[in-house]
Amino acid sequence: MRISAHTVCTAIRDDIVSGLLPPGSRLAEEQLAQRYGVSRVPVREALRTLESEGFVVSRRHAGACVAQPGDREAADLLDIRALLEPLGAARAAQRRTEAHLKVLRGLVRLGRQRAGQGQEGDLRSLGDWFHETVAQATCSPGLTALLVQIRRKITWLYTGEPVSRAVVLWQERGALVDAIARGDAERARTLTVAQLERATPARRQFRPPAVRTPKPAVNTVRGQI
C-alpha cells in the first residue's frame, strides 16, 4: 500500500514537535525514507510542506534541516496566539455544530478524569485535540489552519502547563465549551483571553542533534613510506 505524502508529513512533524528530531537536525531524504518505510518521493513532498509551515529550512549545499527558531520568533508565536485564539473561540461559539460539541464535551470529560486521577501521560495530547477541535468549530478553513499551526509550533517550542494546574485547566476548558454551546461569543472570547493570560509557558530545551564522527580516511595506496 502506498503511503501518502500527507501521512509522511504528519510523522515527520510529530517527530520534530516531540523533539525526536531536534532543531538543527539534518533531514536527509534517503534516511527519512528508511525511517518511515517509504520512497523518497513522499518524503520530498513532505519536506516542502513542512518548510512552508516553518518547521524545516533548506540550506544551500546542506539540504533540509529542522528549523531553529530564535527567542524573538518564539515570543512572537505567543503574541500571535493571544490575538487569534480569542477570535477562534468566538467564531466557534457562532458556528459550531452538534458534532463539534459532542467531541469537545467528551474531551473535557476525559481531561477532567485524567487530571483528577493524576494520569498526566495523555493530558497534553488531549489538550492539543481539544484546541484543534475548537479551531475546526470555527468552520473557517483558513482560520483553522492558522490556529492549528500556531498551536503545533508552541507545543514544539514551549513546555506544557504544569501538572499541578491540570485540574483547573480542564475546568476552564469546560467553561469554554459551555460558552460555545450557548453561542455566547463574547463569553468564549473573554474566557480564552483570561486562560492565555494565566498560562506560563517556558522555552523547551532540546538535546543537540547527533553529530556523526567521520570515519578515518583509508589509505588505499600500499607500499608507500
Side-chain angles (χ1 to χ4, degrees):
M1 182 179 69
R2 183 177 181 272
I3 299 176
S4 69
H6 174 77
T7 300
V8 177
C9 181
T10 299
I12 298 174
R13 187 194 297 112
D14 287 347
D15 283 348
I16 291 174
V17 171
S18 69
L20 288 176
L21 293 172
S25 299
R26 186 168 179 269
L27 300 172
E29 290 180 9
E30 184 175 353
Q31 292 174 359
L32 291 174
Q34 293 176 355
R35 179 186 183 102
Y36 302 110
V38 296
S39 70
R40 293 176 64 172
V41 174
V43 169
R44 191 175 303 124
E45 294 177 22
L47 291 178
R48 282 198 292 264
T49 298
L50 291 170
E51 185 171 7
S52 71
E53 293 178 355
F55 289 100
V56 170
V57 293
S58 292
R59 295 171 180 162
R60 201 170 190 179
H61 307 307
C65 300
V66 178
Q68 296 178 286
D71 289 341
R72 179 179 294 181
E73 184 177 349
D76 285 345
L77 289 173
L78 297 180
D79 290 339
I80 294 169
R81 180 178 69 170
L83 293 172
L84 286 183
E85 286 201 356
L87 172 63
R91 289 288 185 271
Q94 295 166 333
R95 301 172 180 174
R96 90 294 182 282
T97 66
E98 288 301 316
H100 292 131
L101 284 179
K102 184 177 180 179
V103 174
L104 287 171
R105 284 172 173 151
L107 288 170
V108 168
R109 186 167 57 251
L110 277 174
R112 283 175 168 168
Q113 181 185 52
R114 298 289 195 276
Q117 296 172 349
Q119 298 177 2
E120 57 184 276
D122 296 335
L123 287 178
R124 185 152 190 170
S125 60
L126 286 173
D128 290 341
W129 190 0
F130 176 88
H131 286 291
E132 288 199 18
T133 305
V134 173
Q136 291 163 4
T138 66
C139 297
S140 168
L143 181 55
T144 298
L146 285 172
L147 288 167
V148 170
Q149 186 170 329
I150 290 296
R151 268 278 166 183
R152 284 172 177 164
K153 286 188 174 180
I154 289 174
T155 300
W156 173 35
L157 298 177
Y158 288 92
T159 60
E161 288 291 310
V163 178
S164 58
R165 277 208 72 227
V167 172
V168 173
L169 187 59
W170 281 100
Q171 289 173 348
E172 293 172 351
R173 287 169 176 163
L176 175 59
V177 173
D178 290 342
I180 291 173
R182 293 194 306 269
D184 190 340
E186 191 54 41
R187 177 65 174 161
R189 184 193 299 271
T190 301
L191 287 170
T192 302
V193 169
Q195 183 179 325
L196 292 175
E197 288 177 346
R198 285 190 291 269
T200 55
R203 281 296 301 270
R204 289 179 65 190
Q205 300 299 315
F206 295 94
R207 61 177 175 81
V211 178
R212 296 192 173 191
T213 304
K215 294 181 179 180
V218 177
N219 184 359
T220 58
V221 181
R222 298 179 180 274
Q224 292 188 353
I225 299 176

